[in-house]
Structures are given as C-alpha cells and as structure tokens.
C-alpha cells in the first residue's frame, strides 16, 4: 500500500558539470515506474537538475539537502523554503546526522525546519538515528524516539503522512557497514509504532520509512523486503548511474 521511495543524497559532491552528466545518464535509463525516485543535490546544482528533469520524460524528482525555516531575510548563507518551492523542488532532507554533528543542528531547529517545509508544501525527509555507542549501550530506541518526538512536535495529523522518515544509524553512514535487515526492520517497526502512538494507526500505515546507511545494490533487496522498510536514502551509491539505477530497480 505504501509506494517505495528511493532518494539519493549527493552530499557535497558533483558540481554542475558532473551533475548534468549523471542526470543525463539517469534519465536515459529504464527505471521502475512503481518506485518514487528522487535526488537531493547541492544548492548550486538545483536549477541545472530541474531544467534537465523537466525537459525529459522521467519520474525522477529533485530536492535540497537542507534549508532554513524563515522565508527571507538576513540569514547569510541560507536558502529558504520559498526559494526551493519557486524552482519546484519536491523534497528537502532535514536533520541529517552530518548537519546535526558538524553544524550543530539540534532538535528544536530541526522541528522548526520540518514545520516550515510542510507549510510550504515541501516533503521533509527527516533523518534520525543513533551512534554506535548509543546502540552498544542499549539506548538506540530511546535516542530515536526522543528525536522523533521533538522533531515532529506540532506536526498535525493531516501533515504527518507527507513526512518521510529516514532511519539512519550513524555508524552505518558512509562506512560500508550496513545494519542487518532484522535490526533495520526492528527500528523501522518501532518508529511506525511510535507514529501510531503519537497520531493514529491509519497515519502510521501511511508514513513512509526509509533505511539509510551504506545501502547498495547488494543489500537493497533484503532490506526492502522487510515489512516496515519502504525505501532508502542513499549516499555513496547515488553518485553513479549504474548503482543508483539498480537501487531504484531493486524489484526487477
Ligand atoms: C546518507 O548520507 O544519508 C547515507 C545513507 O550515506 P551512505 O549511503 O553513503 O551511507
């Protein structure tokens, strides 16, 4: 009932020239129409990527990897939801662990961004996840639960179904280590139960939950076969047309 969703997070990779090359390659490939597919690219690539995607017969949508919550003003270096909406961006990744760690984004700020994205009709891809020590100490679920409760504060019953939640154990991001499909499913199921607790059963069944952390063509099938894993947020493997297309075509 939930449509699978595969989204690439290019991070701080691929300038305009390389972005054009990759999007040209991706749009010439035969990609599964039953999978929602997106790429979240560096700010400078957005308009180039938009123009290519809009000129092709493709289901690939695009988005940003961050934004500020205000619409405009004296916020040097920031990009607003209205700017993203003006160019038809669909997604914005919020609360990625790299933003939390290197740019000191806290749950209060991420919550403001989530509310702002929703009120501007952007789909927030909200990232949550625990560190290795939190997992080893048995605190992974407490951490994820506290992030979700804070980051989704004041998100309404009508809005919650638009939010995509990406469960990304920090120790698995960019490390080549993937959570076992059972551990990933266990946490995604926990997140869905939490959404039911915070909203209703109906909403919990609509919210899409991705796994992220070294997802690649070799492990995508097993992860996405799990009942509560509805897709992937893909870093490294989204930078090459060959691997990203295999991820989108995971069921073929
Ligand atoms: C990410 O950046 O969200 C991510 C999951 O990265 P990687 O796939 O490279 O682990």
């Amino acid at each position: 009932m939930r449509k699978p969703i595969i989204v690439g997070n290019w991070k701080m990779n691929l300038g305009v020239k390389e972005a054009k090359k990759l999007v040209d390659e991706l749009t010439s490939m035969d990609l599964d129409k039953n999978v929602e597919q997106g790429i979240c690219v560096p700010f400078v690539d957005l308009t180039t990527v938009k123009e290519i995607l809009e000129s092709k017969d493709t289901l690939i949508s695009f988005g940003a990897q961050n934004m500020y919550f205000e619409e405009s003003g004296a916020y040097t270096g920031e990009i607003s939801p209205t700017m993203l909406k003006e160019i038809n961006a669909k997604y914005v990744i919020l609360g990625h662990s790299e933003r939390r760690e290197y740019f000191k984004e806290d749950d209060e700020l991420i919550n403001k961004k989530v509310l702002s994205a929703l009120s501007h009709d952007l789909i927030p891809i909200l990232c949550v996840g625990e560190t290795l020590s939190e997992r080893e100490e048995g605190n992974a679920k407490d951490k994820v639960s506290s992030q979700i409760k804070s980051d989704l504060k004041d998100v309404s019953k009508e809005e919650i179904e638009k939010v995509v939640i990406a469960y990304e154990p920090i120790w698995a991001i960019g490390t080549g280590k993937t959570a076992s499909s059972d551990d990933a499913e266990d946490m995604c199921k926990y997140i869905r139960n939490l959404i039911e607790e915070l909203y209703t059963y109906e909403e919990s069944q609509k919210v899409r939950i991705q796994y992220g952390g070294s997802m690649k063509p070799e492990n995508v099938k097993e992860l996405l076969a799990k009942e509560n894993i509805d897709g992937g947020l893909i870093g490294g493997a989204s930078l090459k047309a060959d691997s990203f297309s295999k991820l989108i075509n995971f069921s073929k």
Side-chain angles (χ1 to χ4, degrees):
M1 142 190 172
R2 293 181 294 271
K3 190 170 187 182
I5 173 168
I6 299 283
V7 176
N9 171 16
W10 289 5
K11 311 195 189 198
M12 198 174 71
N13 294 296
L14 310 183
V16 172
K17 236 193 233 169
E18 293 162 308
K20 187 174 175 324
K21 185 170 172 280
L22 177 53
V23 178
D24 277 339
E25 278 181 78
L26 286 172
T27 50
S28 68
M29 295 173 120
D30 184 20
L31 302 175
D32 191 340
K33 294 189 170 42
N34 299 312
V35 173
E36 185 172 323
Q37 39 202 271
I39 46 178
C40 290
V41 307
F43 290 133
V44 291
D45 294 343
L46 282 168
T47 49
T48 304
V49 166
K50 161 198 160 71
E51 276 158 23
I52 303 174
L53 293 177
E54 287 179 355
S55 70
K56 306 263 171 130
D57 179 23
T58 178
L59 290 179
I60 303 174
S61 299
F62 70 96
Q65 300 168 17
N66 183 31
M67 62 164 219
Y68 197 53
F69 61 85
E70 295 285 4
E71 290 194 342
S72 63
Y75 304 103
T76 303
E78 294 295 314
I79 294 281
S80 77
T82 34
M83 291 170 180
L84 294 178
K85 206 53 211 169
E86 187 186 342
I87 58 162
N88 274 333
K90 182 168 178 181
Y91 310 103
V92 59
I93 297 175
L94 296 174
H96 193 281
S97 61
E98 288 149 17
R99 300 241 28 116
R100 293 179 192 258
E101 187 185 345
Y102 305 139
F103 304 99
K104 307 291 170 236
E105 293 198 10
D106 61 14
D107 288 316
E108 199 184 326
L109 176 65
I110 294 162
N111 175 237
K112 286 183 180 156
K113 293 183 178 196
V114 169
L115 292 170
S116 173
L118 287 166
S119 71
H120 290 88
D121 200 25
L122 290 159
I123 296 177
I125 300 179
L126 171 66
C127 303
V128 295
E130 80 285 358
T131 61
L132 186 56
S133 60
E134 286 162 342
R135 173 154 287 265
E136 285 170 350
E137 286 157 16
N139 296 327
K141 286 183 176 152
D142 284 350
K143 172 68 178 291
V144 167
S145 151
S146 130
Q147 286 178 323
I148 289 196
K149 285 181 184 159
S150 310
D151 300 345
L152 295 180
K153 189 170 161 278
D154 297 331
V155 170
S156 70
K157 192 168 166 287
E158 290 67 41
E159 290 171 323
I160 187 64
E161 65 187 70
K162 295 180 200 132
V163 178
V164 174
I165 298 174
Y167 166 56
E168 301 207 306
I170 297 171
W171 48 271
I173 298 178
T175 57
K177 286 185 200 152
T178 318
S180 74
S181 56
D182 286 341
D183 284 346
E185 165 66 8
D186 183 51
M187 186 63 88
C188 292
K189 185 173 177 186
Y190 175 77
I191 293 172
R192 199 172 303 288
N193 288 339
L194 195 57
I195 298 297
E196 178 177 351
E197 222 178 85
L198 298 171
Y199 297 88
T200 66
Y201 173 77
E202 205 191 352
E203 267 78 49
S204 76
Q205 295 307 300
K206 289 184 187 159
V207 169
R208 285 174 305 168
I209 304 174
Q210 297 174 311
Y211 167 78
S214 301
M215 200 186 249
K216 42 191 180 262
E218 298 76 46
N219 57 28
V220 63
K221 248 194 178 89
E222 187 181 334
L223 286 159
L224 285 172
K226 296 291 183 186
E227 194 184 329
N228 290 288
I229 304 179
D230 306 315
L233 184 59
I234 322 289
S238 71
L239 297 174
K240 292 263 180 327
D242 179 52
S243 45
F244 193 53
S245 60
K246 283 184 181 143
L247 289 164
I248 293 171
N249 290 340
F250 72 93
S251 69
K252 287 194 173 175

